[in-house]
Amino acid sequence: LNLACAALFLPETLQTTAATAPGGGGGAPAAAAGDRPSVKSQLRRLFCDRETCGLLITVTLVRTNVPPMLSNISFVLEGEFGLSVILCSLLIGSIPAVILLGNSYVFVNAKKLPRWKLLRIAIIVQACVGCAAFLVMPVASMTVWSDMLIFYAMVLDNSIIQVPLNTLYLQPLKDIAGFASGIQAFLCSIAPSVAGAAATAATNWVGAAGLMASLGTILVCCSLLFWAIFGLRAHASEALCSNSSAEQGPGPVPAAPEQQQQQQQQQQQ
């Protein structure tokens, strides 16, 4: 639905049609046809560019790790550990609190750390959380806090990743931001559903260890794909993204009055 709206209905992403100024008389067209790129060219910009496609894949995988947790956390807490519904609800309700910590960290360090550096740090932490999820598997059904620590760390790191990742993904796509957001929402609705179904099957099969294995696989795969696509030179892309708007920025700065007078004198001579 988001993809259809972005491609067919949103004014920002619609192709501009030729229209004659009201009143007739052969006035100039209000907008020339072809000012907006076609859907095919927009898709090519998203999927044929290595950096844009890599960021889109990373966004999709980052948003894939939370739905498996939400789908199975109550089953694990109530079924594996026998917690009451009230206590289970309190533990689940405490997880969003770490989102405030992650957003606060980003707010404080947004101007201190470049976006790519902040993203790379968060991706490294994500890989560590994924490895910790694998290590917790033997005791996942014995201690509730071992599972909760993984949930807290995963959501905290996820909240730190979201801001710089979304910014870097949409920054070079300002002219097709609606279309790019529609594609992102489309992929981020399919991948979490598939991952949630697989994690539910694993949890029903081996209990909490299956959930930890599912989360660890998603987190580690996301980190490995990020480094496989961008490598250690990811910071170089930030300069390209930041310079793209500068290259298309305002025109030349008007000369000072003294310089204008000199230019006029030179022209008269």
Side-chain angles (χ1 to χ4, degrees):
L1 182 60
N2 287 326
L3 178 60
C5 289
L8 303 176
F9 301 110
L10 292 180
E12 179 191 16
T13 55
L14 287 178
Q15 299 185 50
T16 306
T17 58
T20 306
D35 288 348
R36 293 291 183 180
S38 63
V39 175
K40 183 178 180 181
S41 63
Q42 295 179 62
L43 289 173
R44 190 181 298 113
R45 286 183 60 183
L46 291 178
F47 293 102
C48 295
D49 183 78
R50 180 182 63 88
E51 295 177 356
T52 303
C53 184
L55 289 172
L56 180 59
I57 293 173
T58 307
V59 170
T60 304
L61 291 178
V62 165
R63 295 189 178 181
T64 302
N65 51 27
V66 175
M69 178 196 70
L70 297 177
S71 301
N72 299 280
I73 184 172
S74 60
F75 172 77
V76 170
L77 295 179
E78 296 179 16
E80 295 283 335
F81 301 103
L83 300 182
S84 63
V85 176
I86 296 178
L87 183 57
C88 178
S89 301
L90 291 175
L91 289 176
I92 296 175
S94 65
I95 293 177
V98 300
I99 298 178
L100 299 177
L101 297 178
N103 292 335
S104 301
Y105 176 82
V106 174
F107 179 77
V108 172
N109 296 277
K111 296 183 179 179
K112 299 178 181 179
L113 294 175
R115 287 182 292 271
W116 270 111
K117 186 174 183 180
L118 181 62
L119 178 60
R120 286 183 295 161
I121 293 174
I123 291 292
I124 294 175
V125 175
Q126 184 186 62
C128 296
V129 176
C131 295
F134 286 118
L135 296 176
V136 167
M137 286 178 59
V139 295
S141 299
M142 301 178 185
T143 57
V144 63
W145 286 110
S146 62
D147 299 343
M148 291 302 300
L149 288 177
I150 297 297
F151 299 151
Y152 288 140
M154 183 185 69
V155 175
L156 175 63
D157 185 69
N158 193 63
S159 62
I160 296 175
I161 292 177
Q162 292 283 352
V163 176
L165 183 58
N166 290 330
T167 303
L168 291 171
Y169 168 66
L170 292 175
Q171 188 172 20
L173 305 172
K174 295 178 181 179
D175 54 328
I176 57 169
F179 186 84
S181 299
I183 295 292
Q184 174 185 341
F186 177 71
L187 295 178
C188 290
S189 62
I190 295 178
S193 301
V194 176
T200 301
T203 305
N204 289 331
W205 184 28
V206 292
L211 178 58
M212 291 295 110
S214 301
L215 296 179
T217 301
I218 296 172
L219 296 174
V220 172
C221 287
C222 179
S223 302
L224 292 178
L225 282 175
F226 177 84
W227 292 111
I229 295 172
F230 296 103
L232 298 177
R233 296 181 298 174
H235 63 281
S237 303
E238 186 181 38
L240 297 177
C241 294
S242 60
N243 291 335
S244 61
S245 58
E247 293 175 356
Q248 301 176 356
V253 179
E258 297 178 356
Q259 295 178 354
Q260 291 179 356
Q261 292 178 359
Q262 294 178 359
Q263 291 177 359
Q264 292 176 358
Q265 293 175 359
Q266 291 176 0
Q267 291 177 359
Q268 292 176 358
Q269 293 176 357

